[in-house]
Amino acid sequence: MPINRTTLNGLYDLNLQTDEDAAAFLAAQAEPVEKIETSRDVVVNAVGTHLYETFFQGYTRKQWGLDPSELDKSVTSRVPTRTNLDDRYFLDSFQAMPRDGFTRMFEKMLDHPNIDLALGADYHDLKPSELAPLTVYTGPIDAFFGHRFGPLPYRSLHFRHEILDQRRFQEVAVVNYPDEAVPYTRITEYKHLTGQVAPRTSITYEYPSAEGDPYYPIPRPENQALYKKYEALANQRDDVIFLGRLGTYRYYNMDQVVGQALATYRRLAERMAIQTGAASTAAE
Ligand code: UDP
């Protein structure tokens, strides 16, 4: 994944040589959908039923517990089809990992005299007197408001981590398993991402689940409508800023979440500078 020319040549035993060849092949497979609304529409419209069923239908049913026809088109649109040979998952010009890993990065960010960390403490158990004048809340927005309009649905994952006594488990960092009969959706082997060289290898299986920590908002019109009701409440609160996947019920990637946080910081820094009359010192 994503489907590219190599996929087509391998799956159908073809010899498509150029982008134009692959585009023509895909155009012949495509089954135009008049009004593209769902995650099924967007894929079938682009690549037809066979590729859709092979790569998207089972994976999506497992991942979301819903058929692609029940999910907003934005979900499968995250993985567009290619006609070239590029087999990277993301096309961003700059792709990187924190040098010493995410754990170290967050430890360093939190290691600041102005930051107190209270783990295992539920925000909702805090007394009003313990709250700062301004809260940045990144938990589930429906929980913040006591689920008063009913719960927003979230999807979770269970991870099965294994350390294997072998140098390498698979050829690439991530292998997806679209077959509905296989209970997990993908296996990640980290050393491909980190570049670590070691005699053993660490892998993780992902099992989608309705229970567990909320990881994914579920993009569908009725969920968005429910979120909008919570968002209206949030907009009335100038003592709280809601951020992140759970706070704004958006299926954000890491880079988008960081972008949202930085943009919010800039706005906040300007507001504070105006309030205190100080010159803006917003650092980039
Ligand atoms: N998807 C799929 N087959 C795949 C990969 C993705 O059907 O092999 C669909 C599936 O619905 C998935 C969505 O595309 O939830 C977005 O995929 P992505 O890899 O971006 O999901 P994430 O990494 O956020 O779990």
Side-chain angles (χ1 to χ4, degrees):
M1 287 302 273
I3 295 171
N4 66 6
R5 206 157 78 227
T6 314
T7 319
L8 301 176
N9 285 335
L11 184 68
Y12 296 115
D13 200 15
L14 298 169
N15 187 22
L16 305 169
Q17 292 286 337
T18 63
D19 280 32
E20 291 71 35
D21 289 351
F25 178 82
L26 289 173
Q29 307 297 307
E31 295 163 38
V33 175
E34 205 163 300
K35 194 152 182 261
I36 296 175
E37 285 175 345
T38 72
S39 267
R40 182 182 193 281
D41 298 339
V42 76
V43 180
V44 168
N45 181 68
V47 303
T49 309
H50 186 250
L51 284 164
Y52 161 75
E53 287 177 349
T54 306
F55 291 108
F56 285 90
Q57 184 175 267
Y59 188 107
T60 300
R61 284 179 180 169
K62 289 193 289 188
Q63 168 67 19
W64 300 95
L66 293 167
D67 190 78
S69 60
E70 299 171 292
L71 277 167
D72 191 86
K73 61 172 187 264
S74 60
V75 176
T76 51
S77 303
R78 291 164 60 87
V79 192
T81 303
R82 303 198 184 126
T83 50
N84 59 21
L85 302 175
D86 197 333
D87 63 1
R88 294 172 301 164
Y89 206 62
F90 301 103
L91 300 180
D92 306 69
S93 321
F94 302 102
Q95 302 189 30
M97 302 271 290
R99 189 191 57 207
D100 301 321
F102 283 96
T103 306
R104 214 55 80 234
M105 186 177 92
F106 279 100
E107 281 173 356
K108 281 192 171 170
M109 286 165 66
L110 293 170
D111 182 23
H112 185 282
N114 285 355
I115 296 178
D116 292 323
L117 190 60
L119 297 175
D122 194 314
Y123 171 78
H124 303 279
D125 295 335
L126 295 173
K127 297 186 209 72
S129 62
E130 293 170 324
L131 291 176
L134 179 67
T135 297
V136 178
Y137 180 87
T138 60
I141 186 168
D142 55 329
F144 183 91
F145 292 110
H147 303 109
R148 79 174 69 161
F149 302 127
L152 276 167
Y154 300 92
R155 194 71 175 157
S156 191
L157 293 172
H158 290 149
F159 298 106
R160 178 154 66 94
H161 304 295
E162 286 184 357
I163 298 172
L164 306 176
D165 215 358
Q166 61 197 68
R167 266 196 178 274
R168 195 164 70 172
F169 174 76
Q170 61 193 23
E171 292 287 316
V172 291
V174 184
V175 176
N176 288 6
Y177 290 81
D179 185 350
E180 229 179 321
V182 177
Y184 43 86
T185 48
R186 59 188 171 194
I187 302 176
T188 298
E189 184 175 29
Y190 298 99
K191 60 170 37 166
H192 297 280
L193 299 168
T194 59
Q196 284 161 302
V197 178
R200 297 199 291 171
T201 193
S202 300
I203 61 169
T204 299
Y205 294 76
E206 288 180 43
Y207 294 84
S209 157
E211 277 90 50
D213 287 342
Y215 291 154
Y216 295 89
I218 305 181
R220 331 174 56 183
E222 54 264 57
N223 299 350
Q224 193 54 26
L226 182 54
Y227 164 69
K228 286 282 165 198
K229 293 170 81 173
Y230 285 111
E231 188 191 33
L233 291 181
N235 287 340
Q236 292 164 17
R237 298 285 297 255
D238 50 17
D239 57 332
V240 187
I241 293 172
F242 293 83
L243 281 187
R245 261 196 190 195
L246 306 178
T248 57
Y249 204 69
R250 291 202 186 98
Y251 187 0
Y252 274 148
N253 286 335
M254 177 82 76
D255 57 331
Q256 296 168 317
V257 150
V258 171
Q260 186 193 40
L262 291 177
T264 306
Y265 167 74
R266 273 183 216 115
R267 274 199 303 278
L268 204 55
E270 272 168 31
R271 198 167 100 192
M272 307 268 232
I274 290 163
Q275 271 172 6
T276 59
S280 175
T281 52
E284 292 293 316

